[in-house]
C-alpha cells in the first residue's frame, strides 16, 4: 500500500502543473530549462562554455587572423611583412588562440559576443572568397575540401545553438525581472511543487 502511494505521489510530482495563462506556462518552461542547466554542474561550464568553443573556433581563428593580418599589412603597412606563412604567422595565430582562450575562461559573457563576431567574420571571409573565386579574381577559395565544409557546418550549428540558449537566457531574465529566485508553483492541491 505504501509503495503504491509513493508511486502515485511520484507521478503527480512529475506532471506539469496546470497553467492559468501563457505567461505562467512560459515561466515554467524557462525555469525547467534553467534547472537542467544548473543540474549539469561544473562540466557544463568547462565543456560547453570553454572547450567546445575553442575546438569549433580553432580553424576559423586561423582564417580570421591571416585575413586580418593581410588586410592590415596591405592597407596600413604598405605591403611590408605581407608574407605571413612563416614564423610571424604562426606566432600571431598562436597569440590569437591564447587571447581567445583567456576570454573564454575569464570573460564568459564577452566571449559570447566574440563568438558571434568571429563567427560572422569567418562566414563573411568564406562568402567573399567564394564570390571572388567565382569571378576569377583569386585562384583558390578558403574552403576547398570536406574538412572546410565540416568546419562551416559545425560553426553554424554552434552559433545557432548559442543563439537559442541566449534567447532562452534573455527570456529568463525578462520573466524573472526583479526576482532573486524563481517562485515555486502550486499544484491543484495547494502543495508547493519543487521544480
Amino acid at each position: 500500500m505504501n509503495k503504491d502511494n509513493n508511486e502515485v505521489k511520484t507521478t503527480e510530482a512529475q506532471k506539469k502543473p496546470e497553467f492559468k495563462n501563457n505567461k505562467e506556462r512560459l515561466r515554467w518552461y524557462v525555469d525547467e530549462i534553467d534547472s537542467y542547466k544548473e543540474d549539469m554542474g561544473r562540466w557544463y561550464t568547462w565543456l560547453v562554455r570553454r572547450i567546445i568553443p575553442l575546438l569549433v573556433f580553432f580553424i576559423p581563428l586561423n582564417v580570421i587572423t591571416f585575413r586580418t593580418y593581410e588586410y592590415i599589412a596591405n592597407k596600413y603597412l604598405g605591403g611590408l611583412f605581407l608574407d605571413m606563412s612563416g614564423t610571424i604567422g604562426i606566432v600571431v595565430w598562436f597569440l590569437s588562440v591564447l587571447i581567445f582562450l583567456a576570454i573564454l575562461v575569464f570573460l564568459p559573457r564577452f566571449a559570447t559576443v566574440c563568438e558571434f563576431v568571429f563567427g560572422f567574420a569567418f562566414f563573411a571571409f568564406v562568402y567573399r572568397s567564394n564570390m571572388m573565386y567565382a569571378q576569377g579574381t583569386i585562384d583558390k577559395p578558403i574552403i576547398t575540401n570536406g574538412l572546410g565544409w565540416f568546419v562551416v557546418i559545425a560553426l553554424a550549428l554552434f552559433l545557432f545553438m548559442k543563439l537559442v540558449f541566449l534567447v532562452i537566457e534573455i527570456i529568463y531574465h525578462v520573466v524573472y525581472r526583479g526576482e532573486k529566485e524563481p517562485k515555486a508553483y502550486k499544484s491543484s492541491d495547494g502543495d508547493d511543487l519543487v521544480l
Side-chain angles (χ1 to χ4, degrees), residues 26-191:
L26 177 66
R27 289 185 119 187
W28 188 83
Y29 281 115
V30 168
D31 191 42
E32 280 294 306
I33 292 169
D34 192 59
S35 296
Y36 288 132
K37 200 165 67 170
E38 287 179 8
D39 289 344
M40 287 188 251
R42 193 169 192 88
W43 74 268
Y44 169 79
T45 302
W46 278 98
L47 183 69
V48 175
R49 287 191 170 180
R50 293 183 177 112
I51 295 172
I52 291 177
L54 186 65
L55 293 175
V56 168
F57 280 95
F58 200 73
I59 293 176
L61 277 175
N62 184 358
V63 171
I64 292 167
T65 302
F66 279 73
R67 298 294 180 197
T68 305
Y69 183 82
E70 283 178 359
Y71 176 77
I72 290 171
N74 280 330
K75 183 90 170 171
Y76 299 108
L77 301 177
L80 191 66
F81 302 122
L82 187 57
D83 185 25
M84 199 170 160
S85 61
T87 307
I88 191 167
I90 294 171
V91 169
V92 170
W93 172 71
F94 186 69
L95 286 175
S96 69
V97 170
L98 286 179
I99 291 169
F100 185 66
L101 180 61
I103 290 171
L104 287 173
V105 171
F106 298 114
L107 303 168
R109 292 186 191 269
F110 181 63
T112 300
V113 174
C114 290
E115 289 165 359
F116 281 108
V117 169
F118 293 157
F120 290 124
F122 176 72
F123 290 135
F125 285 134
V126 168
Y127 177 77
R128 185 170 178 258
S129 88
N130 284 338
M131 287 292 116
M132 292 174 73
Y133 178 72
Q135 294 170 354
T137 55
I138 59 173
D139 296 335
K140 181 170 84 167
I142 292 174
I143 306 296
T144 58
N145 57 20
L147 175 64
W149 289 112
F150 175 76
V151 168
V152 168
I153 292 169
L155 184 61
L157 286 174
F158 175 79
L159 290 178
F160 175 74
M161 292 307 297
K162 193 78 166 182
L163 185 64
V164 166
F165 280 103
L166 182 65
V167 167
I168 290 171
E169 190 75 23
I170 290 169
I171 291 172
Y172 182 81
H173 286 294
V174 168
V175 168
Y176 292 112
R177 179 181 52 230
E179 297 179 18
K180 297 287 186 196
E181 292 288 326
K183 294 179 181 174
Y185 290 92
K186 303 275 186 184
S187 68
S188 58
D189 299 337
D191 298 331

